[in-house]
Amino acid sequence: MITDRWDRPLKDIRISVIDQCNFRCTYCMPAEIFGPDFRFLDKEELLTFEEITKLARFFAGHGVEKIRLTGGEPLLRKDLDELIRQLNDIAGIKDIALTTNAMLLPKYAGKLKEAGLKRVNVSLDAIEDEAFKKINGRQVAVKPVLKGIAAAKKAGLQVKINMVVKKGMNEDQILPMAEFFKQEHIPLRFIEFMDVGATNGWKMDEVITMKEIIEQIGEHFPLEPADAAYYGEVAKRYRYKDSADEIGIISSITQSFCSSCTRARISAEGKFYTCLFAEQGYDLKDLMRSGASDEKIKSEIKNIWLQRSDRYSDERTEETVRGKKRIEMSYIGG
Ligand code: SAM
Ligand code: SF4
Ligand code: SF4
């Protein structure tokens, strides 16, 4: 196990497997910027499965036990189940999860589960078609996503739902979403709209805060706080008083959690980021392709983590947000 200078251990990695997506969510990949002329990474620029597995093995050697695959839309990466199989064989890796918009889960859920995937987090920001169509930028109705969720459950995968809440976009969907997923007994997690990337025009007054979300739901379904399931859990959990179901809130804006942030990120082109809001990543693909020895790569990963001093969300002000040249969410994967 290695810890950074603020004593935060490196425990999990998020790996983006592709920067492309079949949605254009307005808060993540606005269609006016990610249009037909937008240049996504070429195939040769993406890490191969062998390279991803090699890096994951080095991270596991430093104590990482959890891997989450993300994107872009990770299910657009061909043969993703093969990658999961390779990752699952790494000694020390106990948990592999996936974040997805669920559109392709009916096709792949069974294969993914067979390959060793345990959990999926499905992103769904509204339960009513009109609102959802506007948000996803592709006029997709809610039903295909619900079919994806059903396919994941049928395959035996654990499912959680992620909903980004943004003022003027979907705050009217908070309660209908809570009600729907309470009935389905699927944990729902609300995410405060974040200033990731430089294209989503983030403003503080567009954030619906954790407090507002809890109050809105609590008026209809009384809630009580629940303990964190493990050190570094990013969602603050609440249980419904009348059932065993729960919700979580990822309050990166109003109650940041940098002091227990244990997560590294690898972009689809192999850059290693120690913070979601980093301006620069360290090019591990270049290092691997230039023939560096395994020992060298492993020690570089260690050095980068040891020197890490990121506390972006703790230090966020309107000023820091304006001045920064941040990487896009679709590139680093959340
Ligand atoms: N395409 C997959 C999906 O949507 O689940 C995986 C990649 S997506 C970038 C990962 C997560 O980031 C999703 O839950 C998405 O809602 C969230 N996200 C994207 N932009 C965000 C923003 N500006 N603030 C908060 N969450 C955001
Ligand atoms: Fe695609 Fe996920 Fe971004 Fe939506 S949030 S545009 S599904 S990468
Ligand atoms: Fe971790 Fe950076 Fe997010 Fe803070 S802002 S919790 S350091 S990723």
Side-chain angles (χ1 to χ4, degrees), residues 127-145:
I127 199 68
E128 284 156 17
D129 279 342
E130 201 187 329
F132 187 54
K133 283 183 181 177
K134 267 194 219 150
I135 297 167
N136 66 54
R138 287 278 156 97
Q139 292 296 307
V140 177
V142 174
K143 203 169 174 191
V145 179

Side-chain angles (χ1 to χ4, degrees), residues 21 23-25 27-29 71-73 101 330:
C21 188
F23 277 5
R24 288 290 178 272
C25 300
Y27 57 84
C28 174
M29 296 179 81
E73 174 45 47
N101 63 24
S330 54

Side-chain angles (χ1 to χ4, degrees), residues 106-117:
K107 190 168 174 195
Y108 294 125
K111 269 184 160 185
L112 297 170
K113 168 75 178 158
E114 246 172 63
L117 186 71

Side-chain angles (χ1 to χ4, degrees), residues 8 257-258 261 265 274-277 308 310-313:
R8 296 170 295 190
F257 36 78
C258 298
C261 177
R265 295 175 160 87
T274 55
C275 177
L276 181 55
F277 300 91
R308 173 183 190 244
D310 312 281
R311 293 176 49 226
Y312 179 85
S313 288

Side-chain angles (χ1 to χ4, degrees), residues 35-316:
D37 297 331
F38 187 83
R39 190 188 161 273
F40 290 101
L41 296 169
D42 290 333
K43 194 162 174 261
E44 318 72 71
E45 292 174 283
L46 297 175
L47 287 182
T48 64
F49 286 174
E50 286 64 35
E51 287 169 333
I52 293 175
T53 307
K54 185 168 170 171
L55 288 180
R57 196 172 295 115
F58 297 148
F59 277 90
H62 286 312
V64 164
E65 294 179 344
K66 277 166 74 170
I67 298 177
R68 176 173 294 279
L69 299 176
T70 177
E73 174 45 47
L75 294 179
L76 291 181
R77 181 81 189 251
K78 202 166 163 275
D79 300 325
L80 193 70
D81 57 310
E82 189 42 48
L83 174 65
I84 290 169
R85 201 162 275 115
Q86 291 181 25
L87 296 174
N88 209 27
D89 279 345
I90 299 175
I93 296 299
K94 293 188 180 146
D95 185 22
I96 303 178
L98 176 81
T99 303
T100 173
N101 63 24
M103 294 298 285
L104 292 167
L105 278 177
K107 190 168 174 195
Y108 294 125
K111 269 184 160 185
L112 297 170
K113 168 75 178 158
E114 246 172 63
L117 186 71
K118 293 207 171 53
R119 307 184 286 120
V120 287
N121 282 17
V122 170
S123 304
L124 178 64
D125 304 316
I127 199 68
E128 284 156 17
D129 279 342
E130 201 187 329
F132 187 54
K133 283 183 181 177
K134 267 194 219 150
I135 297 167
N136 66 54
R138 287 278 156 97
Q139 292 296 307
V140 177
V142 174
K143 203 169 174 191
V145 179
L146 297 182
K147 279 191 175 163
I149 294 169
K153 288 192 82 175
K154 187 160 176 248
L157 293 163
Q158 290 172 41
V159 179
K160 280 186 186 158
I161 310 299
N162 284 346
M163 170 180 179
V164 174
V165 191
K166 181 182 166 198
K167 194 170 285 175
M169 178 176 90
N170 63 344
E171 68 263 50
D172 61 338
Q173 294 293 302
I174 295 173
L175 201 55
M177 283 284 285
E179 195 164 10
F180 184 88
F181 287 105
K182 184 173 187 282
Q183 270 165 22
E184 294 287 313
H185 307 298
I186 298 180
L188 169 62
R189 304 184 336 159
F190 298 91
I191 305 176
E192 290 179 346
F193 173 47
M194 290 189 284
D195 49 325
V196 203
T199 59
N200 71 8
W202 185 89
K203 293 191 209 81
M204 182 63 212
D205 59 13
E206 287 174 334
V207 177
I208 302 282
T209 64
M210 165 158 125
K211 187 166 171 282
E212 291 170 275
I213 295 168
I214 295 295
E215 279 171 6
Q216 227 194 88
I217 298 176
E219 268 178 31
H220 291 78
F221 304 112
L223 291 163
E224 60 192 4
D227 291 337
Y230 53 87
Y231 174 81
E233 185 176 38
V234 295
K236 305 212 170 45
R237 295 163 62 216
Y238 289 81
R239 201 174 302 116
Y240 291 108
K241 285 190 177 166
D242 68 352
S243 73
D245 303 297
E246 61 170 58
I247 58 164
I249 321 262
I250 301 179
S251 57
S252 345
I253 307 292
T254 60
Q255 274 194 41
S256 56
F257 36 78
C258 298
S259 60
S260 60
C261 177
T262 59
R263 182 168 299 162
R265 295 175 160 87
I266 299 175
S267 72
E269 60 174 339
K271 292 205 174 132
F272 172 22
Y273 291 90
T274 55
C275 177
L276 181 55
F277 300 91
E279 289 189 38
Q280 267 182 345
Y282 182 95
D283 197 339
L284 291 175
K285 179 182 72 186
D286 198 38
L287 192 65
M288 280 191 287
R289 292 191 185 172
S290 68
S293 70
D294 289 3
E295 278 320 303
K296 166 81 179 157
I297 303 167
K298 213 175 151 187
S299 81
E300 285 299 300
I301 292 171
K302 181 173 173 182
N303 290 339
I304 291 163
W305 194 263
L306 293 180
Q307 284 164 29
R308 173 183 190 244
S309 63
D310 312 281
R311 293 176 49 226
Y312 179 85
S313 288
D314 280 358
E315 293 164 343
R316 177 188 287 106

